[in-house]
Structures are given as C-alpha cells and as structure tokens.
Amino acid sequence: MLKTLEAGLQAWMLPGILALLAVIASYTLYRLTLAVIQHFSKQRTVPRLFLDAAAKALGLVTSLLVLRALLNGAPDDLPLLSPVKQLVTLLLILSLTWAAVRLTSVIGDVIVLLNPVLEGQWKRARKVETQTRFLVRCLNVLVIIVGIGAALMTFEPVQKVGASLLASAGVGGIVLGFAARPVLSNLLSGIQIALTQPFRIDDVLIVQGEWCWVEEVTATYVVLRVWDQRRLIVPLQWFIENPFQNWSRNTADLQGTVFIWVDYTMPIEPLRQEFSRLLDTMKQWDGKVATVQVTESNDQALQVRFLMSAPNSNQNWDLRCAIREGMVTFIQKHYPSQLPRLRARLVDTTPEFEGNAKQSGRPPKKSA
C-alpha cells in the first residue's frame, strides 16, 4: 500500500509541479492584463461593468482551462488521471456557471445605467428597473439549473439514469410539477408583475395595513420596507391574489385629511382663515388643495374636515400632523369654550318633590 502510494506520488511529482507553475503563471498574467484594462478604461462604461462583475470568476475559469489542457497532454499511465480530469471538468463547469450568473446579473445594472432617472421621467426609469430585476433573476435561475445539469452529466451513472428518466418523463413531469408548484407559481407571478407593473421599485404601498416602500424584488418574493424600518417579506403570488394600495402608481402626490370635532357654537370662518395661514407656512404643502368643510354632525358636536395636498406620502403625513397640532392649539387659545362638550339635563327625583308635583298636576321640575 505504501509502495503504491509512493509510486503514485513520484509519478505525479513532475506533472504536478508543472501544472502548478502553469496555473500560477496563467493567473498572474490574467491579473496583470485585468489591471491594465481597468487602469486604461472608465469605470461606469458597459464593458467595464461586465468585466468587474465577472473578474474573479473569469480568473478561475482561465486557470482551470490551462490545467485541463495540461492534463489532456499528460501521460495516460498516470495513476488516478481520469478522476482528476473529471474533477477539473466539474470545477470548470461550476466556474463557468458562476461567471454566467455574474454576467447576467450585471445586465440589470447596465440597463439601469442606460436609462437614468431624468427630471419628470422617474416613472419610466422605475418601470424599466423593476422589469429588468425580475427578468434578470429569472435568467439567473435558468443559468443555475443548466449549470447544475451539466455538472451532473459529467458522472456516468447520472447519464444512465437520464435515459430512464426521459422514458418516464410524463409521470416525472407531473410529480415534479406538483412538488415545485409554489416555486413555479411565484416565478410565473414575477413574470406577470414584471409585464403588468402593478408596482415598481420605491413605490409606496399599503399591504396588510402596513405603510411601506418596495425595497427589493427577487424571483419569488418582495422585500417591503415599513415606515419604522421593519422589513415585510411577501411572496409574489400574494400580490396576484390579493388587493393592495399603491400610493405612487402614476404620481407620488397625495391628499391628506385632518378631522376635528368642535361645538355647534364654533364659527367656521376663523378655522378656515387659520388653516390657510398655517398652510402658507408649511414647506410640505404643494399649494394645490386646501379645503375646510363640515362633513359630519351629531347631537353633540360638528366634525370639520381639513383637506390638503402634499408632493409625497412622507410629506403628507408630516403636514397632517402639523396641521392637526396647529388647529387644536388655535381652538384652545382663541375658542376654548367651543371645544366639544357633553350636554346633560339634571332631574330632581327626591320623593317630597315628586309628591308635590303630582298634587299640583304638574310634571316634576327639571333644572339644566
């Protein structure tokens, strides 16, 4: 056993040293060439983006190609030559898959770079970015599946199993379809969302009562950033099957309301004047909508609605809070008696008083 091992090591000594030196030399030459190209090229160009994204993977591919060529020229009587060749081939396929994934991933960055957010065209830019992210992730999944399949086909037993699987492809396809139904449904939902655009990156949504922004879109789920910095993970299929609110579908500007209850004796015109004065001091107001209306009344008070507009949801929220505080402060300072009051009637129900009332034929006297 030891003699066999020693003989194998001696046989691999010279080819192994030559292979190691060749790999080191090829990788060094690759890094020097890469450094020269990066030095004389601009960073934000399309070829440079592809090169930077796949630089590490391409270095590994170059080294494995040199190693594979050396193994092909090695003597056939080297021990364990066939398993080593298969291992190098497997690593080469995986490294090529890695390089392909990196190159397809940068397609999204290139398309976003070629479609910058220009003034007044933010909607188009976000639409292009959202569609690109969906399609790139689907393409990455396809590349990974092909790479794994090619890697498995390097093993002879898998090739034999492949022939039998093709014979029973009908039953196997049905079983695989049921097993992968959640994944496939999310992938198909992603394609549908990418084409129909119910939401885009950075859109403001109301999902399950949460006010949030679309932060990231993957092949199977959407990452939503809630206003308090929490993250809500929602499967793509959910957006196809459930309704949700999109506050920035076409434009980001919104109208907000503030409701305040006041007494019936409260004059409305001073509220309208104070509301206009407050809006003129608010930088969140876009100057489009400013309305004061009595929208409700009951047996105790009036409901006054203050309607205003803002450029986006964040400023709309801040504006509503500021107006609510300002109007309440105004009423407290200038009309404190016109705040909502509870009216009641006090009735004297003592027996002596009721007896006197019955004798006189008059109802019991009430005091307010």
Side-chain angles (χ1 to χ4, degrees), residues 56-282:
K56 295 181 179 179
L58 291 178
L60 182 59
V61 169
T62 302
S63 301
L64 290 174
L65 284 174
V66 172
L67 182 58
R68 187 72 173 83
L70 291 175
L71 291 177
N72 288 336
D76 295 335
D77 58 349
L78 279 177
L80 301 177
L81 179 61
S82 179
V84 172
K85 284 184 178 180
Q86 184 177 3
L87 177 60
V88 173
T89 302
L90 179 62
L91 294 176
L92 181 59
I93 293 174
L94 295 179
S95 61
L96 287 172
T97 304
W98 180 24
V101 169
R102 295 297 300 163
L103 291 174
T104 54
S105 297
V106 83
I107 292 177
D109 299 330
V110 171
I111 294 178
V112 172
L113 177 65
L114 297 178
N115 295 271
V117 181
L118 302 177
E119 185 177 357
Q121 299 183 7
W122 59 269
K123 178 182 175 182
R124 174 181 173 275
R126 285 163 51 187
K127 177 180 179 180
V128 171
E129 181 180 1
T130 304
Q131 290 179 332
T132 302
R133 300 300 182 193
F134 272 118
L135 298 178
V136 165
R137 284 179 172 84
C138 293
L139 186 60
N140 282 341
V141 173
L142 180 61
V143 169
I144 292 174
I145 292 175
V146 173
I148 293 176
L152 292 176
M153 291 302 291
T154 59
F155 299 95
E156 186 176 353
V158 176
Q159 296 176 358
K160 296 180 180 179
V161 172
S164 61
L165 287 177
L166 290 176
S168 58
V171 178
I174 295 175
V175 174
L176 183 61
F178 277 105
R181 186 175 60 87
V183 177
L184 295 177
S185 63
N186 279 315
L187 287 175
L188 294 176
S189 299
I191 296 175
Q192 183 176 350
I193 290 174
L195 297 176
T196 59
Q197 291 287 301
F199 60 84
R200 298 174 294 270
I201 300 294
D202 288 334
D203 268 355
V204 180
L205 307 182
I206 302 295
V207 176
Q208 296 181 341
E210 297 283 1
W211 176 24
C212 48
W213 291 262
V214 179
E215 184 177 65
E216 182 183 358
V217 179
T218 69
T220 56
Y221 62 85
V222 179
V223 180
L224 303 175
R225 186 179 75 254
V226 189
W227 64 272
D228 57 0
Q229 300 304 314
R230 289 180 291 126
R231 298 301 189 270
L232 189 65
I233 310 300
V234 183
L236 290 173
Q237 185 66 23
W238 187 91
F239 289 97
I240 301 298
E241 299 176 350
N242 297 276
F244 58 93
Q245 299 181 37
N246 189 335
W247 285 11
S248 55
R249 179 70 176 88
N250 296 316
T251 59
D253 55 315
L254 292 172
Q255 295 185 10
T257 57
V258 171
F259 294 96
I260 296 180
W261 290 90
V262 295
D263 190 74
Y264 271 91
T265 59
M266 177 69 204
I268 304 301
E269 189 59 30
L271 297 181
R272 188 173 285 112
Q273 295 176 1
E274 178 64 14
F275 177 61
S276 299
R277 187 192 70 81
L278 288 175
L279 284 180
D280 291 335
T281 63
M282 300 291 177

Side-chain angles (χ1 to χ4, degrees), residues 3-24:
K3 291 182 179 180
T4 304
L5 181 60
E6 184 179 357
L9 292 176
Q10 289 179 355
W12 273 99
M13 183 66 68
L14 181 59
I17 293 176
L18 293 176
L20 180 61
L21 293 176
V23 169
I24 293 175

